Amino acid sequence: MFWKMILLAGVRRRSQALMAVLCATIGAGTLLCLATICLVVPAQMNEELRSYGANLIVTANGGFDAETADEVTDAVEAVAPAQSASYRYESVRINSAPYTLAGIEAQDVRAINRHWSVEGDWPANGNVMMGRDVAEGLGVKIGSTITIGLRDERADAALRNGRRSTDILSDDGTPMCVGGIVDTGGAEDSLVYMSAGDMERLAGARGADVLEFASQGAPDELTALAETLQTTGARGAVRYQAHQVTRMTSSNARIITMLRTLFGVVSIVALALTLVGVSTTMSSIVARRRAEIGLRRALGATSRSIAGEFLVESAVYGVVGGAIGCAAGYGIAYALCAQVFDRRVGFSWWLAALCVLVSVALAVVASIGPVRRATRIDPAVVLREE
């Protein structure tokens, strides 16, 4: 009989019931949509911001050996997952002009620096990638052939007129093809990039000079990690220094914090509007049922039974609206993530259950005021009015 009364109350007052369900739907849908985006977008932003360069750089005096490089990489990855890239630098002459050559593994550097604008191909066997400034200085383009030779900068090189003699005017060396040109707007544009294999064949086997890491660690974790590596590097056989790129990590954290704060504010506003809407609807329902409530009180109904009926009715509206809102909210979140953020998001059952519970709680809380007024109705006054 109790559930029949709840059902009939909703059917007889369809407009008010639909309004209450609509308010709960908007609240639950907004909450699920924003919560889903808030879980997905910061993760994507972390990934995207890490693609704009390394947030931890480790440099070695004289280059790393394989064992030390592995130890540093393991120490970084023990704190948080990280992408890494190594750079080996040599002073070379290209078409009789001095430049700095960087030996890299193209796939590693590309993974960390996806913002680099590369025209043509990344360095591979027999091909080099030139910075925009170098290409313009040499007057070369993609497909041009250049000659790369090592500069003689040994300590025992002959001196002429008090200056070290180099082979800078020599035109011998290894012919290479320009496969690509990189334009970053930074210091990278003044370098020439060669594959690590070609660098080893040109200058012999040697470890990297710089290790770069794009870590998922928090700023405070990276700060502690840099201090630990700095201390370890000062005592080891291979001396190295660690530097945190604070500008990138702080910008990352600040943007994500602002995004979550914005989503939180919007969610609070949506829930507040839901609370007001359900409360107003329940007040209307109570006002329309004053005569019914007065008659039930006259027949012996207790305040608890009347309050229980209205609270359960509100909870039913919250459940129905929450379920519909979760479906609508997930659909909107899926479309936004796919169209705006280019990501696919799965349905989270625990998050949906939480949103439904919040919707029910809001509906019940919003009904407390109207229910208290309903339980205080004087049956004599109401029946006399009728």
Side-chain angles (χ1 to χ4, degrees):
M1 177 62 70
F2 179 79
W3 291 106
K4 185 177 181 180
M5 292 172 58
I6 297 294
L7 177 61
L8 290 178
V11 172
R12 290 170 181 169
R13 295 167 180 83
R14 290 185 293 272
S15 59
Q16 289 86 2
L18 289 176
M19 184 61 65
V21 170
L22 179 61
C23 292
T25 298
I26 294 175
T30 303
L31 184 61
L32 181 69
C33 178
L34 293 180
T36 302
I37 294 176
C38 197
L39 290 176
V40 172
V41 174
Q44 183 189 18
M45 289 186 65
N46 267 318
E47 180 181 343
E48 293 294 333
L49 288 174
R50 285 195 303 273
S51 71
Y52 281 86
N55 51 16
L56 182 66
I57 299 175
V58 185
T59 60
N61 299 327
F64 288 94
D65 57 30
E67 182 179 356
T68 306
D70 290 340
E71 291 176 356
V72 172
T73 301
D74 292 340
V76 174
E77 292 180 346
V79 174
Q83 294 175 314
S84 62
S86 60
Y87 298 79
R88 174 187 172 183
Y89 297 104
E90 297 288 349
S91 295
V92 298
R93 50 180 172 75
I94 301 177
N95 295 350
S96 300
Y99 289 101
T100 300
L101 181 66
I104 62 172
E105 293 290 348
Q107 66 274 15
D108 296 338
V109 176
R110 186 174 187 175
I112 293 180
N113 301 287
R114 291 201 295 270
H115 67 288
W116 285 12
S117 176
V118 177
E119 179 185 355
D121 299 324
W122 285 72
N125 291 337
N127 290 344
V128 297
M129 181 176 69
M130 285 192 161
R132 175 68 63 183
D133 294 343
V134 179
E136 292 178 354
L138 291 172
V140 299
K141 58 183 180 180
I142 296 176
S144 300
T145 300
I146 59 175
T147 302
I148 301 179
L150 288 178
R151 294 184 60 183
D152 185 1
E153 294 187 344
R154 297 171 300 171
D156 58 349
L159 295 179
R160 294 182 180 176
N161 298 325
R163 296 182 180 179
R164 180 176 299 160
S165 174
T166 69
D167 58 357
I168 190 63
L169 296 179
S170 175
D171 59 0
D172 61 334
T174 303
M176 303 290 290
C177 179
V178 178
I181 296 176
V182 58
D183 187 1
T184 69
E188 296 84 0
D189 295 351
S190 61
L191 300 177
V192 180
Y193 298 88
M194 174 183 285
S195 68
D198 283 343
M199 174 70 87
E200 184 173 333
R201 285 187 288 272
L202 176 70
R206 186 171 71 79
D209 297 299
V210 175
L211 299 177
E212 288 187 348
F213 298 94
S215 173
Q216 298 181 21
D220 55 344
E221 293 177 329
L222 292 178
T223 300
L225 175 61
E227 293 175 354
T228 301
L229 291 174
Q230 193 78 9
T231 303
T232 305
R235 296 195 303 258
V238 177
R239 302 299 178 90
Y240 56 84
Q241 301 82 37
H243 310 279
Q244 181 186 2
V245 184
T246 55
R247 179 176 58 83
M248 184 61 66
T249 54
S250 61
S251 297
N252 190 348
R254 185 168 58 253
I255 292 173
I256 291 176
T257 300
M258 290 175 59
L259 179 65
R260 286 176 172 166
T261 302
L262 176 62
F263 284 172
V265 170
V266 174
S267 298
I268 292 173
V269 171
L271 295 179
L273 293 176
T274 300
L275 191 67
V276 172
V278 174
S279 178
T280 302
T281 303
M282 292 305 299
S283 295
S284 175
I285 291 176
V286 170
R288 289 174 177 270
R289 296 177 62 180
R290 290 183 74 252
E292 174 189 336
I293 296 171
L295 180 60
R296 290 180 59 188
R297 291 293 304 276
L299 293 176
T302 64
S303 298
R304 177 174 297 182
S305 64
I306 293 175
E309 179 185 349
F310 279 103
L311 291 176
V312 170
E313 183 178 347
S314 300
V316 170
Y317 296 153
V319 170
V320 175
I324 298 174
C326 286
Y330 172 71
I332 296 173
Y334 185 91
L336 286 176
C337 289
Q339 297 296 325
V340 179
F341 303 106
D342 194 24
R343 289 181 71 92
R344 298 294 183 268
V345 57
F347 185 79
S348 176
W349 288 103
W350 70 266
L351 187 58
L354 179 62
C355 290
V356 172
L357 289 176
V358 171
S359 176
V360 172
L362 283 176
V364 172
V365 170
S367 302
I368 292 177
V371 168
R372 290 183 63 183
R373 290 193 293 271
T375 58
R376 294 175 180 176
I377 291 177
D378 188 345
V381 174
V382 174
L383 294 178
R384 185 169 61 249
E385 292 176 353
E386 292 297 324

